[in-house]
mmCIF file of all heavy atoms in Angstrom:
data_model
loop_
_atom_site.group_PDB
_atom_site.id
_atom_site.type_symbol
_atom_site.label_atom_id
_atom_site.label_comp_id
_atom_site.label_asym_id
_atom_site.label_seq_id
_atom_site.Cartn_x
_atom_site.Cartn_y
_atom_site.Cartn_z
ATOM 1 N N ILE A 1022 1.499 5.073 4.961
ATOM 2 C CA ILE A 1022 0.610 6.151 4.630
ATOM 3 C C ILE A 1022 -0.840 5.778 4.930
ATOM 4 O O ILE A 1022 -1.592 6.499 5.579
ATOM 5 C CB ILE A 1022 0.716 6.560 3.118
ATOM 6 C CG1 ILE A 1022 2.108 7.173 2.912
ATOM 7 C CG2 ILE A 1022 -0.330 7.527 2.737
ATOM 8 C CD1 ILE A 1022 2.406 7.530 1.431
ATOM 9 N N SER A 1023 -1.253 4.611 4.471
ATOM 10 C CA SER A 1023 -2.606 4.133 4.690
ATOM 11 C C SER A 1023 -2.663 2.632 4.375
ATOM 12 O O SER A 1023 -1.820 2.121 3.684
ATOM 13 C CB SER A 1023 -3.614 4.889 3.779
ATOM 14 O OG SER A 1023 -4.917 4.444 4.009
ATOM 15 N N THR A 1024 -3.660 1.989 4.872
ATOM 16 C CA THR A 1024 -3.864 0.537 4.618
ATOM 17 C C THR A 1024 -5.250 0.303 4.176
ATOM 18 O O THR A 1024 -6.235 0.806 4.752
ATOM 19 C CB THR A 1024 -3.545 -0.278 5.907
ATOM 20 O OG1 THR A 1024 -2.224 -0.081 6.261
ATOM 21 C CG2 THR A 1024 -3.751 -1.784 5.623
ATOM 22 N N LEU A 1025 -5.433 -0.520 3.140
ATOM 23 C CA LEU A 1025 -6.713 -0.967 2.666
ATOM 24 C C LEU A 1025 -7.104 -2.308 3.232
ATOM 25 O O LEU A 1025 -6.250 -3.225 3.212
ATOM 26 C CB LEU A 1025 -6.794 -1.024 1.157
ATOM 27 C CG LEU A 1025 -6.376 0.238 0.373
ATOM 28 C CD1 LEU A 1025 -6.758 0.054 -1.111
ATOM 29 C CD2 LEU A 1025 -7.008 1.468 0.942
ATOM 30 N N GLU A 1026 -8.256 -2.454 3.764
ATOM 31 C CA GLU A 1026 -8.707 -3.679 4.395
ATOM 32 C C GLU A 1026 -9.827 -4.284 3.576
ATOM 33 O O GLU A 1026 -10.902 -3.645 3.370
ATOM 34 C CB GLU A 1026 -9.148 -3.457 5.788
ATOM 35 C CG GLU A 1026 -9.521 -4.729 6.564
ATOM 36 C CD GLU A 1026 -9.904 -4.413 7.991
ATOM 37 O OE1 GLU A 1026 -10.847 -3.636 8.229
ATOM 38 O OE2 GLU A 1026 -9.187 -4.946 8.934
ATOM 39 N N PHE A 1027 -9.646 -5.516 3.006
ATOM 40 C CA PHE A 1027 -10.668 -6.103 2.126
ATOM 41 C C PHE A 1027 -11.412 -7.248 2.861
ATOM 42 O O PHE A 1027 -10.986 -7.744 3.928
ATOM 43 C CB PHE A 1027 -9.929 -6.705 0.894
ATOM 44 C CG PHE A 1027 -9.236 -5.660 0.055
ATOM 45 C CD1 PHE A 1027 -8.016 -5.157 0.391
ATOM 46 C CD2 PHE A 1027 -9.855 -5.200 -1.110
ATOM 47 C CE1 PHE A 1027 -7.399 -4.195 -0.376
ATOM 48 C CE2 PHE A 1027 -9.267 -4.213 -1.908
ATOM 49 C CZ PHE A 1027 -8.013 -3.705 -1.530
ATOM 50 N N LYS A 1028 -12.460 -7.668 2.208
ATOM 51 C CA LYS A 1028 -13.311 -8.781 2.749
ATOM 52 C C LYS A 1028 -12.809 -10.134 2.281
ATOM 53 O O LYS A 1028 -13.067 -11.137 2.968
ATOM 54 C CB LYS A 1028 -14.801 -8.623 2.325
ATOM 55 C CG LYS A 1028 -15.552 -7.633 3.194
ATOM 56 C CD LYS A 1028 -15.656 -8.071 4.635
ATOM 57 C CE LYS A 1028 -16.496 -7.119 5.451
ATOM 58 N NZ LYS A 1028 -16.641 -7.580 6.853
ATOM 59 N N ASN A 1029 -12.103 -10.164 1.150
ATOM 60 C CA ASN A 1029 -11.591 -11.474 0.701
ATOM 61 C C ASN A 1029 -10.149 -11.300 0.149
ATOM 62 O O ASN A 1029 -9.823 -10.217 -0.414
ATOM 63 C CB ASN A 1029 -12.488 -12.122 -0.329
ATOM 64 C CG ASN A 1029 -12.650 -11.324 -1.620
ATOM 65 O OD1 ASN A 1029 -11.760 -11.368 -2.439
ATOM 66 N ND2 ASN A 1029 -13.765 -10.593 -1.792
ATOM 67 N N ALA A 1030 -9.409 -12.336 0.184
ATOM 68 C CA ALA A 1030 -8.031 -12.335 -0.173
ATOM 69 C C ALA A 1030 -7.861 -12.114 -1.717
ATOM 70 O O ALA A 1030 -6.857 -11.441 -2.144
ATOM 71 C CB ALA A 1030 -7.317 -13.605 0.211
ATOM 72 N N LYS A 1031 -8.773 -12.608 -2.517
ATOM 73 C CA LYS A 1031 -8.645 -12.455 -3.956
ATOM 74 C C LYS A 1031 -8.731 -10.957 -4.367
ATOM 75 O O LYS A 1031 -7.973 -10.517 -5.212
ATOM 76 C CB LYS A 1031 -9.779 -13.199 -4.658
ATOM 77 C CG LYS A 1031 -9.687 -13.194 -6.180
ATOM 78 C CD LYS A 1031 -10.898 -13.888 -6.826
ATOM 79 C CE LYS A 1031 -10.859 -15.388 -6.548
ATOM 80 N NZ LYS A 1031 -11.958 -16.088 -7.272
ATOM 81 N N SER A 1032 -9.631 -10.249 -3.767
ATOM 82 C CA SER A 1032 -9.756 -8.836 -4.014
ATOM 83 C C SER A 1032 -8.493 -8.040 -3.557
ATOM 84 O O SER A 1032 -8.028 -7.163 -4.277
ATOM 85 C CB SER A 1032 -10.991 -8.278 -3.366
ATOM 86 O OG SER A 1032 -11.183 -6.883 -3.654
ATOM 87 N N ALA A 1033 -7.975 -8.442 -2.450
ATOM 88 C CA ALA A 1033 -6.776 -7.730 -1.922
ATOM 89 C C ALA A 1033 -5.606 -7.998 -2.836
ATOM 90 O O ALA A 1033 -4.834 -7.109 -3.228
ATOM 91 C CB ALA A 1033 -6.476 -8.239 -0.543
ATOM 92 N N GLU A 1034 -5.466 -9.215 -3.298
ATOM 93 C CA GLU A 1034 -4.303 -9.633 -4.148
ATOM 94 C C GLU A 1034 -4.492 -8.882 -5.501
ATOM 95 O O GLU A 1034 -3.411 -8.462 -6.071
ATOM 96 C CB GLU A 1034 -4.326 -11.123 -4.349
ATOM 97 C CG GLU A 1034 -3.264 -11.661 -5.352
ATOM 98 C CD GLU A 1034 -1.887 -11.418 -4.885
ATOM 99 O OE1 GLU A 1034 -1.653 -11.384 -3.663
ATOM 100 O OE2 GLU A 1034 -0.960 -11.356 -5.734
ATOM 101 N N LYS A 1035 -5.655 -8.776 -6.001
ATOM 102 C CA LYS A 1035 -5.858 -8.046 -7.293
ATOM 103 C C LYS A 1035 -5.435 -6.600 -7.143
ATOM 104 O O LYS A 1035 -4.777 -6.083 -8.051
ATOM 105 C CB LYS A 1035 -7.348 -8.138 -7.627
ATOM 106 C CG LYS A 1035 -7.744 -7.467 -8.954
ATOM 107 C CD LYS A 1035 -9.183 -7.770 -9.286
ATOM 108 C CE LYS A 1035 -9.601 -7.179 -10.613
ATOM 109 N NZ LYS A 1035 -9.617 -5.727 -10.610
ATOM 110 N N THR A 1036 -5.786 -5.951 -6.078
ATOM 111 C CA THR A 1036 -5.391 -4.545 -5.856
ATOM 112 C C THR A 1036 -3.891 -4.442 -5.752
ATOM 113 O O THR A 1036 -3.261 -3.521 -6.280
ATOM 114 C CB THR A 1036 -6.069 -3.992 -4.616
ATOM 115 O OG1 THR A 1036 -7.477 -3.990 -4.817
ATOM 116 C CG2 THR A 1036 -5.589 -2.539 -4.308
ATOM 117 N N PHE A 1037 -3.274 -5.383 -5.012
ATOM 118 C CA PHE A 1037 -1.799 -5.348 -4.858
ATOM 119 C C PHE A 1037 -1.060 -5.486 -6.228
ATOM 120 O O PHE A 1037 -0.104 -4.771 -6.499
ATOM 121 C CB PHE A 1037 -1.387 -6.490 -3.898
ATOM 122 C CG PHE A 1037 0.102 -6.566 -3.729
ATOM 123 C CD1 PHE A 1037 0.806 -5.615 -3.078
ATOM 124 C CD2 PHE A 1037 0.827 -7.660 -4.243
ATOM 125 C CE1 PHE A 1037 2.179 -5.640 -2.893
ATOM 126 C CE2 PHE A 1037 2.181 -7.746 -4.065
ATOM 127 C CZ PHE A 1037 2.875 -6.712 -3.403
ATOM 128 N N ARG A 1038 -1.612 -6.351 -7.058
ATOM 129 C CA ARG A 1038 -1.009 -6.577 -8.399
ATOM 130 C C ARG A 1038 -1.157 -5.291 -9.240
ATOM 131 O O ARG A 1038 -0.254 -4.990 -10.046
ATOM 132 C CB ARG A 1038 -1.614 -7.725 -9.141
ATOM 133 C CG ARG A 1038 -1.308 -9.096 -8.538
ATOM 134 C CD ARG A 1038 -1.585 -10.209 -9.521
ATOM 135 N NE ARG A 1038 -2.938 -10.156 -10.048
ATOM 136 C CZ ARG A 1038 -3.970 -10.778 -9.519
ATOM 137 N NH1 ARG A 1038 -3.833 -11.451 -8.424
ATOM 138 N NH2 ARG A 1038 -5.178 -10.664 -10.094
ATOM 139 N N GLU A 1039 -2.279 -4.622 -9.108
ATOM 140 C CA GLU A 1039 -2.456 -3.373 -9.870
ATOM 141 C C GLU A 1039 -1.499 -2.297 -9.477
ATOM 142 O O GLU A 1039 -1.310 -1.357 -10.185
ATOM 143 C CB GLU A 1039 -3.922 -2.918 -9.706
ATOM 144 C CG GLU A 1039 -4.914 -3.784 -10.402
ATOM 145 C CD GLU A 1039 -6.337 -3.537 -9.998
ATOM 146 O OE1 GLU A 1039 -6.547 -2.801 -8.985
ATOM 147 O OE2 GLU A 1039 -7.280 -4.084 -10.636
ATOM 148 N N ASN A 1040 -0.913 -2.381 -8.268
ATOM 149 C CA ASN A 1040 0.038 -1.389 -7.832
ATOM 150 C C ASN A 1040 1.451 -1.684 -8.255
ATOM 151 O O ASN A 1040 2.391 -0.988 -7.963
ATOM 152 C CB ASN A 1040 0.041 -1.285 -6.274
ATOM 153 C CG ASN A 1040 -1.302 -0.760 -5.735
ATOM 154 O OD1 ASN A 1040 -1.942 0.012 -6.428
ATOM 155 N ND2 ASN A 1040 -1.679 -1.183 -4.551
ATOM 156 N N ALA A 1041 1.624 -2.835 -8.996
ATOM 157 C CA ALA A 1041 2.976 -3.262 -9.307
ATOM 158 C C ALA A 1041 3.740 -2.294 -10.198
ATOM 159 O O ALA A 1041 4.949 -2.363 -10.273
ATOM 160 C CB ALA A 1041 2.924 -4.671 -10.009
ATOM 161 N N SER A 1042 2.986 -1.397 -10.873
ATOM 162 C CA SER A 1042 3.687 -0.476 -11.791
ATOM 163 C C SER A 1042 4.532 0.516 -10.994
ATOM 164 O O SER A 1042 5.399 1.215 -11.578
ATOM 165 C CB SER A 1042 2.656 0.271 -12.653
ATOM 166 O OG SER A 1042 1.751 0.952 -11.807
ATOM 167 N N THR A 1043 4.335 0.648 -9.694
ATOM 168 C CA THR A 1043 5.123 1.534 -8.828
ATOM 169 C C THR A 1043 5.788 0.633 -7.830
ATOM 170 O O THR A 1043 5.248 0.404 -6.706
ATOM 171 C CB THR A 1043 4.244 2.595 -8.156
ATOM 172 O OG1 THR A 1043 3.493 3.288 -9.141
ATOM 173 C CG2 THR A 1043 5.129 3.597 -7.423
ATOM 174 N N PRO A 1044 6.946 0.107 -8.100
ATOM 175 C CA PRO A 1044 7.667 -0.809 -7.175
ATOM 176 C C PRO A 1044 7.854 -0.225 -5.754
ATOM 177 O O PRO A 1044 8.251 0.917 -5.634
ATOM 178 C CB PRO A 1044 8.971 -1.083 -7.880
ATOM 179 C CG PRO A 1044 8.751 -0.712 -9.339
ATOM 180 C CD PRO A 1044 7.763 0.367 -9.323
ATOM 181 N N GLY A 1045 7.547 -0.996 -4.782
ATOM 182 C CA GLY A 1045 7.714 -0.569 -3.415
ATOM 183 C C GLY A 1045 6.635 0.298 -2.838
ATOM 184 O O GLY A 1045 6.700 0.578 -1.603
ATOM 185 N N ARG A 1046 5.643 0.676 -3.622
ATOM 186 C CA ARG A 1046 4.616 1.559 -3.119
ATOM 187 C C ARG A 1046 3.690 0.793 -2.134
ATOM 188 O O ARG A 1046 3.114 1.420 -1.254
ATOM 189 C CB ARG A 1046 3.752 2.070 -4.298
ATOM 190 C CG ARG A 1046 2.534 2.916 -3.879
ATOM 191 C CD ARG A 1046 2.997 4.149 -3.002
ATOM 192 N NE ARG A 1046 3.335 5.324 -3.787
ATOM 193 C CZ ARG A 1046 3.820 6.393 -3.281
ATOM 194 N NH1 ARG A 1046 4.096 6.487 -1.982
ATOM 195 N NH2 ARG A 1046 4.129 7.454 -4.035
ATOM 196 N N SER A 1047 3.518 -0.513 -2.302
ATOM 197 C CA SER A 1047 2.618 -1.220 -1.386
ATOM 198 C C SER A 1047 3.161 -2.593 -1.082
ATOM 199 O O SER A 1047 4.045 -3.157 -1.735
ATOM 200 C CB SER A 1047 1.203 -1.365 -2.016
ATOM 201 O OG SER A 1047 1.301 -2.117 -3.230
ATOM 202 N N ASP A 1048 2.663 -3.134 0.094
ATOM 203 C CA ASP A 1048 2.931 -4.575 0.416
ATOM 204 C C ASP A 1048 1.674 -5.112 1.027
ATOM 205 O O ASP A 1048 0.638 -4.468 1.164
ATOM 206 C CB ASP A 1048 4.161 -4.641 1.358
ATOM 207 C CG ASP A 1048 3.926 -4.017 2.716
ATOM 208 O OD1 ASP A 1048 2.768 -3.613 3.033
ATOM 209 O OD2 ASP A 1048 4.870 -3.889 3.509
ATOM 210 N N MET A 1049 1.730 -6.411 1.388
ATOM 211 C CA MET A 1049 0.575 -7.076 1.987
ATOM 212 C C MET A 1049 0.981 -7.635 3.337
ATOM 213 O O MET A 1049 1.520 -8.757 3.465
ATOM 214 C CB MET A 1049 0.094 -8.173 1.053
ATOM 215 C CG MET A 1049 -0.520 -7.679 -0.237
ATOM 216 S SD MET A 1049 -1.296 -8.954 -1.197
ATOM 217 C CE MET A 1049 -2.763 -9.363 -0.190
ATOM 218 N N PRO A 1050 0.661 -6.904 4.436
ATOM 219 C CA PRO A 1050 0.987 -7.408 5.761
ATOM 220 C C PRO A 1050 0.251 -8.685 6.124
ATOM 221 O O PRO A 1050 0.692 -9.441 6.993
ATOM 222 C CB PRO A 1050 0.647 -6.224 6.731
ATOM 223 C CG PRO A 1050 -0.309 -5.375 5.921
ATOM 224 C CD PRO A 1050 0.091 -5.543 4.467
ATOM 225 N N ASN A 1051 -0.947 -8.871 5.564
ATOM 226 C CA ASN A 1051 -1.640 -10.138 5.660
ATOM 227 C C ASN A 1051 -2.512 -10.309 4.445
ATOM 228 O O ASN A 1051 -2.672 -9.351 3.639
ATOM 229 C CB ASN A 1051 -2.461 -10.245 6.953
ATOM 230 C CG ASN A 1051 -3.578 -9.241 6.998
ATOM 231 O OD1 ASN A 1051 -4.417 -9.181 6.097
ATOM 232 N ND2 ASN A 1051 -3.701 -8.543 8.130
ATOM 233 N N PRO A 1052 -3.151 -11.443 4.181
ATOM 234 C CA PRO A 1052 -3.892 -11.681 2.910
ATOM 235 C C PRO A 1052 -5.083 -10.776 2.691
ATOM 236 O O PRO A 1052 -5.538 -10.669 1.585
ATOM 237 C CB PRO A 1052 -4.329 -13.136 3.012
ATOM 238 C CG PRO A 1052 -3.346 -13.781 3.971
ATOM 239 C CD PRO A 1052 -3.017 -12.706 4.950
ATOM 240 N N LEU A 1053 -5.514 -10.030 3.707
ATOM 241 C CA LEU A 1053 -6.698 -9.172 3.580
ATOM 242 C C LEU A 1053 -6.355 -7.684 3.553
ATOM 243 O O LEU A 1053 -7.238 -6.844 3.480
ATOM 244 C CB LEU A 1053 -7.674 -9.467 4.703
ATOM 245 C CG LEU A 1053 -8.360 -10.866 4.715
ATOM 246 C CD1 LEU A 1053 -9.279 -10.976 5.868
ATOM 247 C CD2 LEU A 1053 -9.058 -11.130 3.406
ATOM 248 N N LYS A 1054 -5.060 -7.345 3.608
ATOM 249 C CA LYS A 1054 -4.687 -5.953 3.650
ATOM 250 C C LYS A 1054 -3.605 -5.601 2.653
ATOM 251 O O LYS A 1054 -2.708 -6.388 2.383
ATOM 252 C CB LYS A 1054 -4.169 -5.623 5.059
ATOM 253 C CG LYS A 1054 -5.269 -5.655 6.152
ATOM 254 C CD LYS A 1054 -4.694 -5.201 7.512
ATOM 255 C CE LYS A 1054 -5.806 -5.162 8.582
ATOM 256 N NZ LYS A 1054 -5.256 -4.780 9.888
ATOM 257 N N VAL A 1055 -3.724 -4.393 2.092
ATOM 258 C CA VAL A 1055 -2.735 -3.799 1.236
ATOM 259 C C VAL A 1055 -2.242 -2.509 1.876
ATOM 260 O O VAL A 1055 -3.079 -1.623 2.090
ATOM 261 C CB VAL A 1055 -3.264 -3.552 -0.161
ATOM 262 C CG1 VAL A 1055 -2.214 -2.837 -1.036
ATOM 263 C CG2 VAL A 1055 -3.655 -4.855 -0.844
ATOM 264 N N ARG A 1056 -1.004 -2.403 2.184
ATOM 265 C CA ARG A 1056 -0.463 -1.229 2.869
ATOM 266 C C ARG A 1056 0.254 -0.384 1.886
ATOM 267 O O ARG A 1056 1.059 -0.872 1.080
ATOM 268 C CB ARG A 1056 0.513 -1.674 3.971
ATOM 269 C CG ARG A 1056 1.089 -0.514 4.797
ATOM 270 C CD ARG A 1056 1.994 -1.045 5.925
ATOM 271 N NE ARG A 1056 3.229 -1.625 5.464
ATOM 272 C CZ ARG A 1056 4.431 -1.196 5.709
ATOM 273 N NH1 ARG A 1056 4.558 -0.090 6.423
ATOM 274 N NH2 ARG A 1056 5.495 -1.779 5.264
ATOM 275 N N TYR A 1057 -0.015 0.952 1.903
ATOM 276 C CA TYR A 1057 0.660 1.896 1.047
ATOM 277 C C TYR A 1057 1.781 2.563 1.829
ATOM 278 O O TYR A 1057 1.651 2.977 2.990
ATOM 279 C CB TYR A 1057 -0.341 2.971 0.548
ATOM 280 C CG TYR A 1057 -1.264 2.413 -0.522
ATOM 281 C CD1 TYR A 1057 -2.513 1.851 -0.144
ATOM 282 C CD2 TYR A 1057 -0.893 2.455 -1.803
ATOM 283 C CE1 TYR A 1057 -3.328 1.343 -1.091
ATOM 284 C CE2 TYR A 1057 -1.774 1.938 -2.789
ATOM 285 C CZ TYR A 1057 -2.978 1.420 -2.451
ATOM 286 O OH TYR A 1057 -3.787 0.863 -3.370
ATOM 287 N N ILE A 1058 2.926 2.656 1.181
ATOM 288 C CA ILE A 1058 4.180 3.009 1.778
ATOM 289 C C ILE A 1058 4.767 4.265 1.081
ATOM 290 O O ILE A 1058 4.683 4.426 -0.137
ATOM 291 C CB ILE A 1058 5.201 1.866 1.703
ATOM 292 C CG1 ILE A 1058 4.565 0.617 2.330
ATOM 293 C CG2 ILE A 1058 6.519 2.213 2.335
ATOM 294 C CD1 ILE A 1058 5.304 -0.662 1.976
ATOM 295 N N SER A 1059 5.378 5.151 1.889
ATOM 296 C CA SER A 1059 6.037 6.304 1.274
ATOM 297 C C SER A 1059 7.298 5.887 0.524
ATOM 298 O O SER A 1059 8.067 5.026 0.928
ATOM 299 C CB SER A 1059 6.438 7.299 2.424
ATOM 300 O OG SER A 1059 7.235 8.365 1.859
ATOM 301 N N LEU A 1060 7.464 6.574 -0.640
ATOM 302 C CA LEU A 1060 8.682 6.316 -1.434
ATOM 303 C C LEU A 1060 9.534 7.607 -1.476
ATOM 304 O O LEU A 1060 10.551 7.633 -2.215
ATOM 305 C CB LEU A 1060 8.282 5.973 -2.877
ATOM 306 C CG LEU A 1060 7.511 4.640 -3.031
ATOM 307 C CD1 LEU A 1060 7.131 4.461 -4.488
ATOM 308 C CD2 LEU A 1060 8.364 3.443 -2.547
ATOM 309 N N GLY A 1061 9.195 8.601 -0.687
ATOM 310 C CA GLY A 1061 9.816 9.883 -0.779
ATOM 311 C C GLY A 1061 10.924 10.105 0.214
ATOM 312 O O GLY A 1061 11.236 9.254 1.065
ATOM 313 N N LYS A 1062 11.505 11.303 0.161
ATOM 314 C CA LYS A 1062 12.539 11.693 1.141
ATOM 315 C C LYS A 1062 11.991 12.227 2.422
ATOM 316 O O LYS A 1062 12.680 12.263 3.418
ATOM 317 C CB LYS A 1062 13.436 12.745 0.460
ATOM 318 C CG LYS A 1062 14.179 12.262 -0.792
ATOM 319 C CD LYS A 1062 15.026 13.441 -1.413
ATOM 320 C CE LYS A 1062 15.725 12.956 -2.670
ATOM 321 N NZ LYS A 1062 16.483 14.049 -3.259
ATOM 322 N N GLY A 1063 10.709 12.623 2.380
ATOM 323 C CA GLY A 1063 10.125 13.211 3.592
ATOM 324 C C GLY A 1063 10.851 14.481 3.974
ATOM 325 O O GLY A 1063 11.006 14.723 5.212
ATOM 326 N N GLU A 1064 11.254 15.302 3.044
ATOM 327 C CA GLU A 1064 12.071 16.431 3.334
ATOM 328 C C GLU A 1064 11.399 17.486 4.157
ATOM 329 O O GLU A 1064 12.044 18.316 4.851
ATOM 330 C CB GLU A 1064 12.636 17.087 2.047
ATOM 331 C CG GLU A 1064 11.619 17.776 1.196
ATOM 332 C CD GLU A 1064 10.804 16.907 0.293
ATOM 333 O OE1 GLU A 1064 10.891 15.685 0.398
ATOM 334 O OE2 GLU A 1064 10.105 17.437 -0.582
ATOM 335 N N LEU A 1065 10.038 17.510 4.176
ATOM 336 C CA LEU A 1065 9.327 18.497 4.923
ATOM 337 C C LEU A 1065 9.071 18.040 6.351
ATOM 338 O O LEU A 1065 8.558 18.844 7.166
ATOM 339 C CB LEU A 1065 7.987 18.829 4.266
ATOM 340 C CG LEU A 1065 8.050 19.412 2.813
ATOM 341 C CD1 LEU A 1065 6.684 19.721 2.292
ATOM 342 C CD2 LEU A 1065 8.974 20.620 2.782
ATOM 343 N N SER A 1066 9.433 16.830 6.723
ATOM 344 C CA SER A 1066 9.140 16.326 8.045
ATOM 345 C C SER A 1066 9.977 17.033 9.102
ATOM 346 O O SER A 1066 9.676 16.953 10.263
ATOM 347 C CB SER A 1066 9.379 14.811 8.160
ATOM 348 O OG SER A 1066 10.772 14.544 7.884
ATOM 349 N N VAL A 1067 10.985 17.745 8.678
ATOM 350 C CA VAL A 1067 11.860 18.435 9.659
ATOM 351 C C VAL A 1067 11.221 19.786 10.099
ATOM 352 O O VAL A 1067 11.771 20.409 11.015
ATOM 353 C CB VAL A 1067 13.290 18.703 9.073
ATOM 354 C CG1 VAL A 1067 13.942 17.345 8.778
ATOM 355 C CG2 VAL A 1067 13.179 19.550 7.850
ATOM 356 N N TYR A 1068 10.211 20.246 9.427
ATOM 357 C CA TYR A 1068 9.504 21.474 9.752
ATOM 358 C C TYR A 1068 8.326 21.272 10.694
ATOM 359 O O TYR A 1068 7.630 20.216 10.600
ATOM 360 C CB TYR A 1068 9.035 22.181 8.500
ATOM 361 C CG TYR A 1068 10.131 22.684 7.600
ATOM 362 C CD1 TYR A 1068 10.674 21.817 6.613
ATOM 363 C CD2 TYR A 1068 10.653 23.937 7.691
ATOM 364 C CE1 TYR A 1068 11.696 22.291 5.746
ATOM 365 C CE2 TYR A 1068 11.662 24.417 6.817
ATOM 366 C CZ TYR A 1068 12.158 23.556 5.891
ATOM 367 O OH TYR A 1068 13.151 24.015 5.049
ATOM 368 N N PRO A 1069 8.017 22.248 11.501
ATOM 369 C CA PRO A 1069 6.759 22.170 12.229
ATOM 370 C C PRO A 1069 5.600 22.337 11.242
ATOM 371 O O PRO A 1069 5.669 23.194 10.344
ATOM 372 C CB PRO A 1069 6.774 23.339 13.236
ATOM 373 C CG PRO A 1069 7.832 24.251 12.683
ATOM 374 C CD PRO A 1069 8.797 23.409 11.909
#
């Protein structure tokens, strides 16, 4: 969905931990980035 890019790894890690209440919503592709991920079915993607 979107990726947050931080200036330091500590800030990125802090944000990632704050997202822990929603399992699977985010990951860290590298120490400076937190990626937000869809958890839905995407049922509307079949429509124009």
Side-chain angles (χ1 to χ4, degrees):
I1022 292 177
S1023 181
T1024 299
L1025 306 191
E1026 184 177 60
F1027 296 80
K1028 280 295 184 181
N1029 64 77
K1031 183 184 293 186
S1032 184
E1034 177 65 26
K1035 182 175 182 290
T1036 298
F1037 178 67
R1038 290 198 308 269
E1039 288 166 350
N1040 294 330
S1042 59
T1043 308
R1046 176 58 88 186
S1047 62
D1048 65 10
M1049 293 187 69
N1051 68 49
L1053 296 179
K1054 291 183 178 180
V1055 175
R1056 182 175 71 115
Y1057 286 90
I1058 303 164
S1059 174
L1060 297 177
K1062 298 178 181 179
E1064 72 276 10
L1065 300 183
S1066 63
V1067 299
Y1068 292 88

